[in-house]
């Protein structure tokens, strides 16, 4: 009986920790755990397969060009000769952090998405998209709702 109680308590504690981490990631995407903190500089960087000469910061792909002078852009050779690092950051960090993110407005996430789209345009010439969900009526399930939600926000989420 005690081992059953202990197992149930352990499972509940792990589930609670998962919920807390999920809420914290929405409120503070930079996180506070080891290795998850965003750099203080605010630079977002992707590695593009190609030489630095092929990535012209004066003629950026459309997703980044739309930002105009609201962003800074830089390139540098990727470590180990594995292409070129393309970095971008907002010139002014918007105020309202968590409240803006909860309201669906996160300029940093929008820039992250634009940077990933620019990488795809530079490498393959088009922005790759997830296949649309099948047409027709479906019974809403918690799992299906979760998958659809994550598919919708994936381009802004990045890797955490």
């Amino acid at each position: 009986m005690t081992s059953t109680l202990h197992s149930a308590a352990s499972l509940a504690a792990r589930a609670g920790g998962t919920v807390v981490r999920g809420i914290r990631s929405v409120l503070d995407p930079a996180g506070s755990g080891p290795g998850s903190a965003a750099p203080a500089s605010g630079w977002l960087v992707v590695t593009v397969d190609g030489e630095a000469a092929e990535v012209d910061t004066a003629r950026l792909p459309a997703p980044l060009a739309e930002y105009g002078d609201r962003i800074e852009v830089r390139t540098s050779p990727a470590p180990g000769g594995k292409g070129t690092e393309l970095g971008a950051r907002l010139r002014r960090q918007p105020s309202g952090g968590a409240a803006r993110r909860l309201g669906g407005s996160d300029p940093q996430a929008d820039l992250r998405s634009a940077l990933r789209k620019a990488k795809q345009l530079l490498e393959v010439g088009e922005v790759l998209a997830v296949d649309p969900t099948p047409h027709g009526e479906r019974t809403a399930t918690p799992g299906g709702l979760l998958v659809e939600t994550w598919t919708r926000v994936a381009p802004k989420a990045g890797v955490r």
Side-chain angles (χ1 to χ4, degrees):
M1 179 77 166
T2 304
S3 68
T4 305
L5 241 170
H6 179 70
S7 296
S10 175
L11 182 61
R14 282 185 284 169
T18 301
V19 169
V20 168
R21 280 190 300 278
I23 291 170
R24 285 178 64 194
S25 73
V26 169
L27 295 176
D28 182 17
S32 58
S36 65
S41 66
W43 285 98
L44 299 170
V45 181
V46 294
T47 301
V48 178
D49 186 26
E51 297 298 319
E54 297 172 19
V55 182
D56 184 6
T57 57
R59 294 176 36 117
L60 294 169
L64 289 178
E66 291 173 4
Y67 279 88
D69 63 351
R70 293 182 297 151
I71 61 170
E72 294 178 63
V73 179
R74 69 178 182 193
T75 60
S76 61
K82 305 263 184 194
T84 302
E85 288 186 341
L86 173 62
R89 73 174 171 183
L90 295 168
R91 289 187 188 272
R92 286 190 216 127
Q93 292 296 328
S95 61
R100 289 180 74 110
R101 285 190 296 275
L102 287 173
S105 173
D106 186 0
Q108 190 77 357
D110 293 338
L111 178 58
R112 184 180 303 114
S113 179
L115 191 59
R116 295 167 101 196
K117 289 176 183 176
K119 169 188 168 65
Q120 292 176 21
L121 286 168
L122 289 167
E123 290 181 343
V124 297
E126 65 180 310
V127 176
L128 307 173
V130 175
D131 290 336
T133 55
H135 297 291
E137 295 294 321
R138 293 185 297 190
T139 305
T141 64
L145 180 63
L146 183 62
V147 169
E148 288 176 10
T149 301
W150 277 108
T151 301
R152 196 170 46 253
V153 299
K156 292 184 175 185
V159 178
R160 295 184 201 183

